[in-house]
Every structure is written in structure tokens, then in C-alpha cells.
Amino acid sequence: MPETQNVTANQTEQRELRYDPQRIEEKWSARWQADPDLYAAEPHDSKRKKYYVLEMLPYPSGVLHIGHVRNYSIGDALARYMWMRGYNVLHPMGWDAFGLPAENAAIKNNVPPREWTLHNIANMKAQMNRLGFAYDWSREVTSCLPEYYRWNQWFFLKLYEKGLAYRKKSKVNWCPECATVLANEQVVEGCCWRHEETPVEQRELEQWFVRTTNYSDELLRDLEKLAGWPEKVRVMQRNWIGRSEGALIDFTIDGLTGRAGDKITVFTTRIDTIYGATSIQLAPEHPVVADLVGNDHHLHAKVEDLVREQGSAREAGDIGGIEKHGVFTHRYAINPFNQEKIPIWIANYILMDYGTGAIMSVPAHDERDHEFAHKYGLEIRVVILPRRVGEPPEEGKEEKPLLPYTEKESLLINSDEFDGLSNQDAIEKMSAYAEQHGFGKKTVTYRLKDWGISRQRYWGTPIPMLYCEKCGIVPVPEDQLPVLLPDKIDITLQGGSPLARVPEFVNATCPKCGGPARRETDTMDTFVDSSWYFYRYTNAQLADRPLDTKTVEYWFPIDQYIGGVEHAILHLIYSRFWTKFMRDIGLIHNDEPVLRLFTQGMVIKGGAKMSKSKGNIVSPDEMVARFGADSTRMYSLFAAPPDRDLDWQELGVEGVHRFLGRVYRFVMRNAQAAKTTARSDGGPLSPQARAIQRKLHQTIRKITDDFQGRWHFNTCVAATMEFVNELYGVESAIAAGNFPAEILAEAQKKVVLLLAPFAPYLAAELWEVLGETDNLLRYPWPDYDAELAKEEEIEYAVQVNGKLRSRLSVPADCPEDLVLERALADDKVRTSLDGKQVVKTIVVPGKLVNVVIK
RNA sequence: GCGAAAGUGGCGGAAUUGGCAGACGCACCAGACUUAGGAUCUGGCGCCGCAAGGCGUGGGGGUUCGAGUCCCCCCUUUCGCACCA
């Protein structure tokens, strides 16, 4: 019988020592949620230094995916760490809640978009809480609620007032799948960014645009200030803005002089090559083409072909791969510099939406023009040589014109009075010449276009505009905001804006004349919502203004923004624009919203992007159910550095779970020992205790360095593991009462603190087990003592001719010459020397000795 | 085509300034404990070799006492840009 009792006692003990994340995490999750102020930031008059850490807000699709978990785990670790460092941390969360999926769900399941969205939000919020993310929910922002979107409307009115919102009929990108217009930024390789297989069509529509191009130059220039952004993102934005300096030059069409439309204006960055221009090339859709073609049916058909070729290449996303085709118009243009008549062609590689849609073709100095001229037998005339001004040609060196031509070494020829200039000088002089004579001027073009924000969809912010028969376009007066989105509505994906079919919405009164007016039935691009949401977090309850200037001044710029690189252009360029606009209407004072940006890598599985079709989706819920939130989160930080792609392996999560179990069991077994066993007698510590103390301080140093310096959370976790392994090595000494209590107590307490940013639930539980009652997040991050971290013995590597031959353990303060002496006396070293001559010796203090022999 | 990043055991990854390659984890192997349990604890684990030793960071060259790290050439992968005039 006693035996049975023993077994039972043993089992009970086993059960108590089992790490049960579900029990621990549910207990703390409930406590945390019962305390809404737990993660609340202090107001902006706080004495603490502020730290604003932000993860990109999610679209409430229904469930969190594992990429979200990684994103939020990084942000949460940072927020917790900064709290422990004593900062006043702002760490909010919200919902990018407008958008098409809600409408699709409405069609499919017959649920109102609002209901579907709010239901998803509740679900995802519960997931976030289960994962233990420390958000200040009192600042939650939900973009589909009128309290938020009324300010989108307010901003729109301000944009309109400043002439930055305008209505224009133009060719726009149309996704047939979404049944709406897309911004240029939302077209990826000719296809919709949401439907990567669906080619975007071009449609002629009347649309609202926002004048982002007013800020082209500043958006470009200020990229220089963003030192805390990944270079990659800055390059992408720079390319997207696409600034290009050049000149506009008018070529008169021969035979049309004096008539309206007698000119073709070309854009060139290389005015210095204008004497080498041997043709004009027009985009097939250039407005002058119709005139030039006239009644020539044959020519007309050919132009149609060119339009089609360009269109299909564009849809295929491969404009660059198009085979160059063109057609001669039988008309000529006059080069204003030398009065030369050059043929006018229409070519499929000329784009109407860049520059003026017309170029001067210089085959000798442009690769594309060369290809085209070669194909059609057009003249190739060299006007620049690769030689410095004033230098004679090099003997025997063939002076080939360069393709493509760049270089500082450049000398103009065949260019009348400009002969002998360098190309830089020529650009200056020729631009001035053109300007003086009234046929040209310097200019700057951008690839960046104005932002088309109209969407023919229901689930978005209504654009607060009215159309009155008498008064025309009339803005909704501010005091009538918000223009509410009607609730009950029949949604289909056909027939344009769903709101247009809701008479109660459409029919309104003109605020100017009191007569009947129609409401604008398009809604805003959802990127409007995300362009300024992070300002709203600073005071989400504010009822009479979008934000409070003083409060924003305290919190901005965002100290650390974390999200996927896929937003490098869209969201991050729109929100930079929005910030500059808000500044210019005096609402805020900062020029840029984000000080430091971090783009985390993707989570992949089996080397491939996760997708439903591949069936390799990892469910966060399943991970939490099997291993707990702490293990799931910590694994996402441990498996790879945060900027790299992470290949998700469940066995890895299990490994982290096992480690957290080791920590749990150690503390459970030894928390008591730290109180009951004897402290050291004040004399020198035992080597074992000293080793633990040293390793602890080294670990704190390593984790602190890696955390703030490099963001290598994986090595932070690894260092903690190493230290815990060391603790296990002295456990028998602890059990035997041979380990000083104060060292044990310090070790346990600090391990828990070091774990707090990564595994907050376990840290909270063990903090309580250790008898601590303070809020862990307000407890200071542990300091290390450099003296205590110091090694007393150093192991030198001893090399002979760079090859490792032996190791040598010496006291840390051992002088170099003594280290060398002992190295040379080493048995293995002497064997390797074998009577050969020592040529040189190198001692790297604290590291190695290298003996060079011959 | 242009630009950027990356390439290290069976796998994920360490190596911060040119100084002991492979920390930490996974997988695997062995042992201990055990009502056999996918629990826990301990140890081993780059490759070849019985060993001594040799080889080893995509490939080839170079600089250096010493190279994963610096330089040159090449290969592969990922990302971005791509008739932007």
C-alpha cells in the first residue's frame, strides 16, 4: 500500500508541474480584459517619454492569419519592452473595415455588410485578446462607423475647398471582378491587386481625383529624411514618383503651319541630341493622330492594330516585351533647331500617359529608337562622341557612338552652333535657346498620377457631394456631415454604384438654392481610411474634430511602424500625402507620419506562400489550442529574424512549447528554495554560483543589445534558452541546499522579466509564483553589471599558420607576452612546429594566438 | 535587361568590427526514469576516416598571419523596376 501512495503523490506532483498553457493563459486573459486601463497610454502631458508603436491595421476578413500573428508579435514585444524601459507607450489597434469582401459576402450569404464586418471584428478581437496582445482598446478605430468616416468626408470637403479634389472624365482602370474603378497603385502587372488573374480594363468615366501630384516633389524630397525606413521601400517610392527632368519642344507639322493643332509637343530628357532626331514618334492614342490619318482607311486600320497591340501588352503586364511596330503617316514635322523636315510615325511603344505621348526619335543615342530605326530603315545620325571636350580622338580607337548613351565624356558634333559642347552644357544652352525662341521650355515630369478615389461600390465612405441642376457641383455643408451610408440595400455587382438605386439616398436638397439635387453615389477608395487612421488613435473619442493638434504633436511621428512590404507604395505613399495636406491646412505640424518603418518577412510553409489552393494554411487558433499563445508568438519570433521570410514548422512551435515548459517547471520547483535555502556567507561565491551569476549578466547584456540594436529576437530567445539550460545544470546543487538563495532568486526573477516581451502569459504567471505583485510591465527591464558579466578565465585558440592546433586557458588579465609564451610552450604547438622557424606571432587579446612558421 | 537582398549541417537558423564555423531549436541516435508515455531528465550529433588526420559556409580566383565576413568573375533563388522618352 505505501507504494501505491507514493505513486499517487508522484502523479499529483507531475500534474502540478505540467506546463498547461490553456489554464494559465485563460486565467490571465480574463484578468487582463477585466482591466481596461492595463495597457492605456498616459495622456499627452505625461512626464514619461513617449513611444508610439504601431502595427498596420487589419482588414476584418473574419479570422487572423498567421502573418498577422507574426506582425503583432513583433509589435507587442516591442511595446512591452518599451513599457519596461519606462516609456509612455501608445499601442493601439483598429479595423480597416470598409471594402469589397463585405459586399461579396453580402451577396453570397445574404448578410448585410455592416453585420458581417462587425461580426468579423468581434471574432478577430477575441483572437487578439486570446493571443494576449497589449492593445489600448479605448482608442479602437473602426473605419466603417460614422464616427470615423464622417472625418473622411470632412477631409474631402477640405481637399475640395483647397482645389485638391476635382472631378474629371478620364480613362480609368476598371476591374470587372470588383465591378469598380482602381487607382493606378492598385494595378499590378496589368491586373487587379485583389484579383491577380483579372486583367484591368480601361473605361472612360467621370471620377473624383485627389491632387497627389501637387506634392510630387515634396514626397520625393522628403524620402531623404526617412533614414529609419528600409532603403528598399524608399527606392520603390522614388521609382513610383518617377521624377524626370527634361524639356518640352514644339515641332510644327509641315503644311499645317498657322492652323490650330499645327504642333506636336515632345518631351525629352536629352535635348542635347535633338540634331540627331530623325523622326517623330507618336503614341497610337495621341489626339493629333486622328487629324494626321484623316480619311486614309488603310492607315486608320493600322493605327487600330497599334492601339490593340499596346493594349494587350499592357494587360499582359509586359509593355517592355512588346515587339516594336509603327506606321508612317506620310507627314513631316519641322525640327525647330535646324528647320529639318523629319517623318512623323505612329508607334506601339509610345505611351500616351507619360510625357506628352510624343517623342523625338534619336536612333544613334537611344536603344529603343535605334531598334525601331533599324527595323524601318530610318536614318541614324551621330551627334555625340564619347570624348572629352578639347581632347583629340584617341589613336586607333574607333569612336563608336554609345548605345545607350550616357557618360560625362561627351562632345557634340553635327549640331551647328552647339558643336564642341559637352552634353551637360548643351542641355543647358539648348534649353535656354528653345525658351528664347519660344518653341520649348524646361520641364519636370512625374510618373506619379493624381489619385482617383471614386469607387462604384456600396461599402465605403459616401463622397459628400451633390449635383444640382441649377448650381452644379455643390459640397455637402460641414454641419450636415456625416452623409450616412444607408443600411438596407440590395447589393449586386452589376449596374454601377449600388447607392444609385436607393432613392432616399440619391434624392436630396441643394443647400445653395433649395432645389432638388442628386447625391454623389460613388464611395471613397478605402485607402482614404487608412491614410490618417493613426492620427485618430491619439484621441479616438473626439466628437467635434478629427484630431487634437496638441495631442498629435506629443505622439507624432510614429516611432515604429510595422507591417508587410506589400504596402510600400499604396498605403505608405497615400498616408505621406495625407500628412502633408493636413499640415498645410494647419491641423498638424509634422511633415512625415512615420519615423521608423519595419517591413517584416512573409510567413511561408514548405517553401511556398500560404494559400487556400495549396492547402498549406496555418491556423493561429489551432496553434493556440495545441501549444498556447505564448508558444505560438514566441516561435514566430524565434524561427527567423523578423525581416526575413519565415518557414512555419509545427515541430518548431512544439520545441518552443517544450522550452517554456522547462522554464515553468524550474520556477515551480525552485521558487520556494530561493526563500528557504541559505544565502551566501558574504565571501566569494562558489564557482558554480559565480558561473550562473556571470551567465545571467551576460544574457541580460546580449538580449538588451539584440533587442534595441538589431531586432534579432531569434537570438534573444536563444540566449534565454542557453541560460535556462545552465540553470538546469545546477538544479541538483539547489536541491541539496548548496546554492546561494540570493543568486537563485535573482536568476529566477530576471529570467521572468527577460521573457515578458516574448511570452507575456507565462511571465505573468511566474511573476505571481515568485510572489511579486507589481504590474510586470511597469517593472523596469533588468540592468546588467559589466563587472559581474566578466569572464575570469579566457580560453585562447592557438593556431599554427592559421590552423587551430590547441586551446589555452589563462586568467583574463594575463598579459599578452605571457599568453604567447604559454602558447609556444604548448605540447601540440611544439609538435606542429617540429623544428621549423617561427617567422611571426600574432596575439589577438582575449581571442587567439597565431604562430606563423616557415 | 537594370537594381536590391540572399545562398552556411538532414531542417529553421547563429557567428555584431576580418579572429575557435555550425550558438539556440527541430529531427535523429544512445542512456536514465517509468503501470511503455507522442511525458521528463542526461549525453551524442557537419562530412570522410577505426584512428591520427583531412575536408568544409553556391562555384572559381585574389588580398591577408588569418576570410562565411573584404575585392574580382561566374551560377542559383527571391523581391522590386522595366519601352518612362
Side-chain angles (χ1 to χ4, degrees), chain A residues 198-242:
Chain A
T198 309
V200 166
E201 299 166 5
Q202 299 294 307
R203 286 203 183 177
E204 188 96 355
L205 280 174
E206 184 117 358
Q207 296 281 298
W208 283 101
F209 285 86
V210 171
R211 242 180 256 284
T212 42
T213 55
N214 265 27
Y215 290 88
S216 303
D217 222 34
E218 201 195 333
L219 286 168
L220 181 70
R221 225 178 331 111
D222 283 356
L223 285 173
E224 303 306 317
K225 290 189 199 164
L226 301 178
W229 284 39
E231 185 53 26
K232 184 184 170 167
V233 173
R234 294 198 287 169
V235 167
M236 282 165 78
Q237 293 214 354
R238 206 171 293 135
N239 290 341
W240 186 259
I241 296 166

Side-chain angles (χ1 to χ4, degrees), chain A residues 168-174 181 201-207 285:
Chain A
K168 167 179 96 171
K169 189 167 194 172
S170 75
K171 276 221 162 145
V172 288
N173 310 300
W174 177 273
V181 160
E201 299 166 5
Q202 299 294 307
R203 286 203 183 177
E204 188 96 355
L205 280 174
E206 184 117 358
Q207 296 281 298
E285 293 177 291

Side-chain angles (χ1 to χ4, degrees), chain A residues 296-352:
Chain A
D296 187 333
H297 296 297
H298 183 64
L299 195 54
H300 186 79
K302 281 192 168 171
V303 171
E304 292 287 285
D305 284 346
L306 296 175
V307 171
R308 217 169 311 119
E309 283 167 26
Q310 196 176 78
S312 55
R314 202 187 277 266
E315 281 184 9
D318 189 25
I319 284 279
I322 196 173
E323 200 191 328
K324 291 181 181 52
H325 279 295
V327 59
F328 178 38
T329 60
H330 301 290
R331 306 295 284 264
Y332 292 83
I334 298 165
N335 183 337
F337 273 82
N338 57 5
Q339 309 310 316
E340 186 184 8
K341 279 193 207 170
I342 57 175
I344 302 173
W345 285 64
I346 301 165
N348 63 353
Y349 72 98
I350 307 300
L351 306 170
M352 193 55 226

